Amino acid sequence: MIGPDRDDDWWPRMVMVKVLAQYHDATADPRVIAVLTRYFHYQLAALPTRPLHTWGKYRWQDEVLFVEWLYERTGDVSLLHLADLLERQGYDWISGFASFKYTGVTSRARLEAAAIRGDKSEAMETHGVNNGQALKTAAVRYRLSGDAANERARFRRQMETLDRFHGMPNGMFSCDEHLAGLDPSHGTELCTVVETLYSLEVALSTFGDVAIGDRIEKIAFNALPGAFDDDMWAHQYDQQANQILVGLNSKPWTTNGPESNLYGLEPNFGCCTANFHQGWPKFTSNLWMRSPDGGLVATLYSPCEIETTVGDHKISLRVETEYPFKEDVRIILSPETSVRFPLRLRIPAWAQAATIRINGQPTPIDTTPETFALIDRLWIQGDVVDLHLPMVPSVSRWYNNSLALMRGPLVFSLDSGQSWVKLRDRGLTADWQVYPRKFWNYALLVDEHSATQVEVVEHAVGMKPFAATMAPVKLRVRARRIDTWRSEDGVAAPIPNGLQTTDLPDEMLELIPYAAAKLRITAFPQLGEMSAVRATNE
Ligand SMILES: [Zn+2]
């Protein structure tokens, strides 16, 4: 056994197993292999009489991932028996999503009534973090079974089901802290953001689907920084895609408390404080991967430096870019000696007519969206690959036919001003409420066809790229206020459905990146053409 002897819960040990394996990835400390081998043998013997329960039962796949990790290093066949036993004692996420029951807002009253009966199944199956962690289940199973086609289909069904019934325009699903439907006034817990990212990174490395990389960037560049203040000293438990007030109102949360969307040290509960720091490091460690043919793959884009090997050759790489704000990614290769290997670059689904230059020369390399572009050549010291990913504004549809705007991997929001009011000091940091300074209730005059014409304004990328005061890219959109769209107890009322009309004047709004707008509207009603024409005639 590892850990304190005052409780015998398997779940906190699953976290420790992950910590130890990642510590070994960083340090190669041989004690990790020894302790995990002995612990897993102990658990294999103990599980039949002391089975998984509560959190461990719903998060078993997070341990199996590291049982596989150890098997890949030691070949100890008993580990395969442990993986099998953990899955058989754990909750069957695959069947749960094959006949999905949770298609609306989870009822707090129903969960409380079930808890009195001692039944936690609905609370666990609708729990946001559980669902985020469970998105690696099919990938973990595929690593054991080799059944790529079926497990990929199961992963996609899980994603599509969460999107269909609980999807948010920031790339996440609602969970405050249980699945909460499609209204963007509902919240998403920060732990779920980082656990979903981690699951998707496992799924990307396993299935190799470009779409998974696109989703990782959407979450990492929007929902993740959207839950922090500009210096990361305060974070939210629940963020909202439409967040008109950060305060102490009762809010629409399924089970969370009234402080859940404050920015602070540990609003609502300390779990996110202990968890949110895994977001950026795990994202960073998945920027590059190795392909089965011995090549290197740029899976996600951010500035970085890589020291690795291809075959017996040492190679270092440097990525210079202001992505996701700008369209260009430069990769500078420095192999110790000239070496031939395949280099693959992810071409996102949104990137039409991407181009690749090598040492300044245009190339005919296939850059079809949602593929990996392949460059197979002899690489020499100082080779430069320039990838250009055109970012054109686009519109997608959400709750009540609302509109959300994206450009490249960034989601854009209306910032309704930020008046920060300290609620209480918390040692080195503080808990904050945020009040709006401007109107938020606008409808946009834009649709799927006209979105490409939306004006893009670019500025230099500063030291705090996700700060509202120095937003490096903005979208200018025509809009009008809809004064019948009001707030109810600190949240925006349901988005008015259908084409909106109003006699209020045209305004030109500047939308900024989602994460920069700490008070924001992201899903907007649509302004009808007729009202605009009538106003022009008047
Ligand atoms: Zn949390």
Side-chain angles (χ1 to χ4, degrees):
M1 189 58 156
I2 55 174
D5 61 8
R6 68 176 176 273
D7 79 70
D8 62 2
D9 189 349
W10 295 112
W11 159 240
R13 274 101 186 164
M14 293 181 182
V15 180
M16 202 60 215
V17 163
K18 175 169 73 170
V19 169
L20 287 169
Q22 290 172 347
Y23 175 71
H24 185 276
D25 285 341
T27 65
D29 188 328
R31 294 175 298 173
V32 171
I33 302 295
V35 72
L36 288 184
T37 297
R38 293 182 65 189
Y39 174 67
F40 286 154
H41 283 180
Y42 163 78
Q43 192 181 28
L44 180 61
L47 272 174
T49 54
R50 185 152 66 84
L52 298 180
H53 62 88
T54 48
W55 299 118
K57 178 179 170 185
Y58 288 85
R59 298 172 176 180
W60 59 271
Q61 68 285 333
D62 279 64
E63 180 173 342
V64 172
L65 181 63
F66 291 101
V67 174
E68 295 168 355
W69 178 95
L70 188 62
Y71 175 73
E72 287 165 354
R73 281 155 182 78
T74 67
D76 176 355
V77 177
S78 68
L79 295 171
L80 301 180
H81 300 307
L82 176 61
D84 182 58
L85 186 55
L86 287 166
E87 178 169 6
R88 280 191 282 117
Q89 289 192 359
Y91 174 65
D92 183 354
W93 289 103
I94 302 299
S95 296
F97 275 87
S99 53
F100 190 68
K101 294 184 287 189
Y102 306 115
T103 58
V105 183
T106 306
S107 158
R108 180 194 290 244
R110 199 167 62 233
L111 294 188
E112 287 173 351
I116 291 169
R117 298 194 306 272
D119 177 6
K120 292 184 178 174
S121 57
E122 180 173 348
M124 287 287 164
E125 290 161 28
T126 59
H127 190 269
V129 182
N130 286 355
N131 275 275
Q133 293 190 252
L135 283 166
K136 65 176 73 63
T137 306
V140 164
R141 286 162 48 102
Y142 163 58
R143 285 156 60 98
L144 289 171
S145 70
D147 185 358
N150 281 316
E151 297 301 351
R152 177 182 275 113
R154 287 166 183 148
F155 167 77
R156 288 179 178 170
R157 180 173 60 201
Q158 214 168 339
M159 287 295 294
E160 287 162 5
T161 302
L162 288 170
D163 283 343
R164 180 177 168 201
F165 297 111
H166 306 284
M168 291 287 130
N170 56 22
M172 282 298 305
F173 52 91
S174 64
C175 51
D176 51 18
E177 74 181 37
H178 296 83
L179 297 177
L182 293 166
D183 186 336
S185 287
H186 268 287
T188 296
E189 185 190 338
L190 179 49
C191 283
T192 308
V193 174
V194 294
E195 292 291 0
T196 297
L197 277 173
Y198 180 40
S199 289
L200 295 183
E201 287 151 5
V202 171
L204 174 61
S205 71
T206 307
F207 297 123
D209 291 358
V210 167
I212 303 173
D214 292 0
R215 180 60 78 95
I216 290 170
E217 287 185 350
K218 186 175 184 183
I219 296 171
F221 295 137
N222 298 284
L224 178 61
F228 310 142
D229 69 350
D230 294 343
D231 61 10
M232 292 181 74
W233 270 96
H235 70 266
Q236 296 180 293
Y237 191 94
D238 285 333
Q239 66 180 292
Q240 298 154 282
N242 281 4
Q243 180 164 278
I244 62 165
L245 181 68
V246 167
L248 296 168
N249 308 64
S250 57
K251 315 269 177 29
W253 317 136
T254 54
T255 52
N256 286 148
E259 298 201 356
S260 298
N261 80 341
L262 296 184
Y263 285 89
L265 173 65
E266 48 176 1
N268 191 60
F269 192 70
C271 55
C272 304
T273 314
N275 205 1
F276 79 81
H277 52 74
Q278 73 170 300
W280 288 128
K282 287 202 176 76
F283 174 78
T284 305
S285 66
N286 284 280
L287 294 174
W288 284 81
M289 295 187 188
R290 207 182 287 285
S291 52
D293 56 11
L296 299 177
V297 189
T299 43
L300 306 165
Y301 296 115
S302 277
C304 62
E305 293 181 8
I306 305 286
E307 304 275 338
T308 188
T309 55
V310 171
D312 296 330
H313 299 264
K314 282 187 183 168
I315 180 166
S316 58
L317 293 171
R318 191 166 79 251
V319 178
E320 297 178 351
T321 183
E322 292 182 323
Y323 190 93
F325 306 103
K326 304 293 170 69
E327 299 171 312
D328 294 303
V329 178
R330 168 166 286 184
I331 302 167
I332 301 158
L333 295 94
S334 301
E336 203 173 49
T337 54
S338 300
V339 55
R340 181 176 182 135
F341 66 88
L343 175 71
R344 287 178 175 81
L345 309 178
R346 181 180 126 262
I347 309 297
W350 47 259
Q352 302 292 325
T355 57
I356 295 173
R357 289 172 173 263
I358 299 177
N359 298 328
Q361 299 303 311
T363 68
I365 292 164
D366 182 6
T367 58
T368 302
E370 207 175 339
T371 64
F372 287 96
L374 172 63
I375 315 170
D376 193 355
R377 74 196 297 267
L378 183 74
W379 298 102
I380 62 171
Q381 176 90 28
D383 275 344
V384 175
V385 176
D386 283 307
L387 172 64
H388 181 72
L389 296 169
M391 296 178 175
V392 177
S394 66
V395 153
S396 53
R397 293 281 174 175
W398 301 88
Y399 179 66
N400 279 356
N401 294 307
S402 58
L403 307 163
L405 278 154
M406 286 189 75
R407 176 186 181 257
L410 288 178
V411 179
F412 284 77
S413 304
L414 175 66
D415 173 27
S416 48
Q418 304 177 18
S419 178
W420 290 67
V421 177
K422 190 187 286 184
L423 182 66
R424 59 178 84 91
D425 284 311
R426 296 296 306 268
L428 293 170
T429 181
D431 293 343
W432 299 90
Q433 303 177 78
V434 190
Y435 291 92
R437 293 175 179 274
K438 295 184 280 192
F439 290 113
W440 52 265
N441 48 349
Y442 287 89
L444 301 186
L445 187 62
V446 69
D447 62 14
E448 287 80 350
H449 307 293
S450 62
T452 56
Q453 310 303 318
V454 167
E455 185 186 354
V456 179
V457 183
E458 291 194 348
H459 301 284
V461 180
M463 290 302 291
K464 293 180 179 176
F466 289 108
T469 51
M470 42 183 90
V473 56
K474 299 177 179 177
L475 301 184
R476 304 187 79 225
V477 195
R478 280 177 67 194
R480 289 184 181 197
R481 275 186 56 221
I482 303 297
D483 61 0
T484 52
W485 187 25
R486 304 270 171 88
S487 64
E488 293 172 1
D489 197 18
V491 301
I495 301 166
N497 200 342
L499 295 177
Q500 301 299 301
T501 57
T502 171
D503 291 329
L504 292 172
D506 267 15
E507 297 181 50
M508 186 63 79
L509 299 183
E510 281 195 339
L511 308 186
I512 63 175
Y514 173 95
K518 305 308 180 193
L519 293 184
R520 63 176 82 94
I521 293 293
T522 309
F524 294 86
Q526 185 174 358
L527 194 61
E529 287 284 355
M530 289 307 292
S531 69
V533 171
R534 193 177 71 230
T536 307
N537 292 342
E538 284 165 0

